[in-house]
Amino acid sequence: MRKVIMDFPKQFAGGLDAAKDVRIIGDFNQLIFCGMGGSALPAEILKILRGFYEWPLAIKIHKGYGLPARISPKALVFAISYSGNTEETISSYEEAKKRNLPVIGIATGGKLTELCERDKTPLVKIPATGIQPRSALGFRLAATQGTS
């Protein structure tokens, strides 16, 4: 764990590097973050920062199946699963695709990566370092910021 903590700053560079080629164009007014546990933590941090910096985009965090019933038609969905196999996140991804909402996937691999590749959905494939998913916050947080 000491090494993970000491290497934490390097995760930000890794997340930004993984996201460098992911671009999505749109006039968004809301960000929907779909993820469980540590995968939702980047959204929690962004939501707090939004309050300090008065960012114009609304942020909604969804920790469950499907998507919230009430979301903007101008929403951008982030489907985040460290393993890529979290069933709630996969369900959210599939629902976003059904609703024709733009989606960005963030994962190390798994089914989410397969779905994004199949559907040609923008994907940030973060490094599978073998650390605990909750310890990989820097990768996921930087990946959300590296996309534009």
Side-chain angles (χ1 to χ4, degrees):
M1 186 51 118
R2 182 182 190 284
K3 179 162 177 37
V4 171
I5 293 168
M6 296 303 291
D7 288 345
F8 184 70
K10 295 176 187 174
Q11 289 184 25
F12 292 94
L16 289 171
D17 186 54
K20 73 178 184 271
D21 295 324
V22 174
R23 299 289 176 254
I24 194 156
I25 299 170
D27 181 25
F28 307 114
N29 64 5
Q30 184 178 49
L31 302 176
I32 310 292
F33 290 88
C34 303
M36 304 294 291
S39 291
L41 189 53
E44 299 282 0
I45 292 169
L46 291 175
K47 199 168 188 178
I48 291 167
L49 290 173
R50 181 182 180 272
F52 286 107
Y53 295 103
E54 299 179 22
W55 292 333
L57 295 173
I59 295 174
K60 185 171 269 196
I61 301 166
H62 182 68
K63 299 177 182 181
Y65 293 91
L67 287 173
R70 302 178 90 195
I71 59 173
S72 168
K74 291 183 173 185
L76 171 61
V77 177
F78 284 87
I80 307 173
S81 168
Y82 185 78
S83 69
N85 293 316
T86 308
E87 64 183 63
E88 292 90 345
T89 304
I90 291 167
S91 170
S92 295
Y93 171 88
E94 291 171 336
E95 181 65 24
K97 295 305 273 186
K98 282 182 195 172
R99 293 191 198 183
N100 292 316
L101 293 168
V103 182
I104 295 175
I106 300 176
T108 60
K111 185 173 180 179
L112 182 58
T113 296
E114 292 170 12
L115 291 170
C116 288
E117 290 172 348
R118 179 195 75 192
D119 299 339
K120 296 183 178 30
T121 298
L123 170 69
V124 179
K125 192 165 182 188
I126 57 175
T129 60
I131 62 177
Q132 289 293 317
R134 65 185 151 274
S135 298
L137 170 63
F139 287 117
R140 291 188 304 268
L141 182 59
T144 65
Q145 299 307 292
T147 59
S148 62

